[in-house]
């Protein structure tokens, strides 16, 4: 099956710092990846669509300068949370398309 | 029984019973629907999907029913096991939006041994 990995699986950072999360498709190439965030006991909320070789498409209300997305290769998309604040603490999940959508294991971000 | 918590509805069933999890979707233009299972601290895991030209699809121990008239989706799990305990999300994929998924609110299934 299609395998998607994320790194790191969890990260703790200080307020004001930037954090980069990687999403990789391990056994297939993905021209499109998606980034979601999920708060405790809530559903997944789509943040943006990451397109290889072009700019990401952000959902309404998601700040593109806050959440930088780079999809530089067919197997890697990165999400950088810039100047993180405690309210950015969340579970960030990526997915990649191969037929259907396959999800990574998620990254738990805690901003102190 | 089923109850609504602060954020996630919960469904509690006895091991061996059948479970039915319901979902209302929002976009009449959606033509593809998926059920995902999410265990604590993990990413969603595909269970079963259905296209809008069908009203029922069966997998191993799971059945998805689609009622487009009322925009309703359900997941039936037969002979529920403790390992089925998780949060279940339905997701809809609007037509011609590049595979984008819109997730429903989710239901937490608790299976009592």
């Amino acid at each position: 099956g299609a395998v998607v990995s994320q790194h790191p699986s969890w990260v703790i950072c200080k307020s004001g710092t930037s954090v980069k999360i990687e999403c990789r498709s391990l056994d297939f190439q993905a021209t499109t990846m998606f980034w979601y965030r999920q708060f405790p006991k809530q559903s997944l909320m789509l943040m943006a669509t990451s397109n290889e070789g072009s700019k990401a498409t952000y959902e309404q209300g998601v700040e593109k300068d806050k959440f930088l997305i780079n999809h530089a290769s067919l197997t890697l998309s990165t999400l950088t949370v810039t100047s993180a604040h405690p309210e950015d603490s969340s579970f960030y999940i990526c997915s990649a398309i191969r037929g259907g959508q396959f999800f990574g294991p998620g990254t738990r971000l805690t901003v102190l | 029984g089923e109850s609504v918590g602060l954020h996630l509805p919960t469904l509690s069933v006895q091991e061996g019973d059948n479970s039915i999890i319901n979902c209302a979707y929002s976009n009449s233009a959606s033509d593809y629907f998926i059920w995902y299972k999410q265990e604590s601290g993990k990413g969603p895991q595909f269970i079963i999907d259905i296209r809008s030209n069908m009203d029922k699809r069966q997998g191993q121990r799971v059945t998805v029913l689609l009622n487009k008239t009322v925009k309703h989706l359900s997941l039936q799990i037969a002979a529920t096991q403790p390992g089925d305990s998780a949060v279940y999300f339905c997701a809809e994929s609007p037509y011609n939006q590049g595979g984008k998924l819109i997730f429903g609110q989710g239901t937490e299934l608790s299976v009592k041994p």
Side-chain angles (χ1 to χ4, degrees), chain B residues 11-54:
Chain B
L11 175 64
S12 184
V13 301
Q14 206 68 36
E15 181 180 0
D17 288 351
N18 297 334
S19 302
I20 299 176
I21 300 172
N22 296 302
C23 176
Y25 64 92
S26 57
N27 193 335
S28 55
S30 293
D31 62 350
Y32 178 56
F33 305 88
I34 313 102
W35 279 99
Y36 289 96
K37 173 185 180 182
Q38 187 181 29
E39 296 174 324
S40 182
K42 298 183 178 179
Q45 176 187 359
F46 173 91
I47 302 174
I48 192 168
D49 59 0
I50 188 168
R51 297 214 170 264
S52 59
N53 61 350
M54 303 172 69

Side-chain angles (χ1 to χ4, degrees), chain A residues 29-41:
Chain A
Q29 294 182 331
T31 55
T32 302
M33 293 183 175
F34 298 92
W35 286 97
Y36 298 82
R37 68 188 293 183
Q38 184 179 34
F39 293 109
K41 296 292 186 181

Side-chain angles (χ1 to χ4, degrees), chain A residues 34 36 38 40-44 46 59 91 93 97 101 103-105, chain B residues 7-8 36 38 41-44 89 98-101 103-105 108:
Chain A
F34 298 92
Y36 298 82
Q38 184 179 34
K41 296 292 186 181
Q42 293 190 25
S43 188
L44 283 75
L46 179 65
E59 295 299 302
F91 193 50
I93 309 171
I97 289 182
Q101 268 194 48
F103 287 82
Chain B
H7 299 290
L8 275 180
Y36 289 96
Q38 187 181 29
K42 298 183 178 179
F89 292 98
K100 181 189 296 190
L101 291 180
F103 278 78
Q105 70 172 136
E108 183 168 13

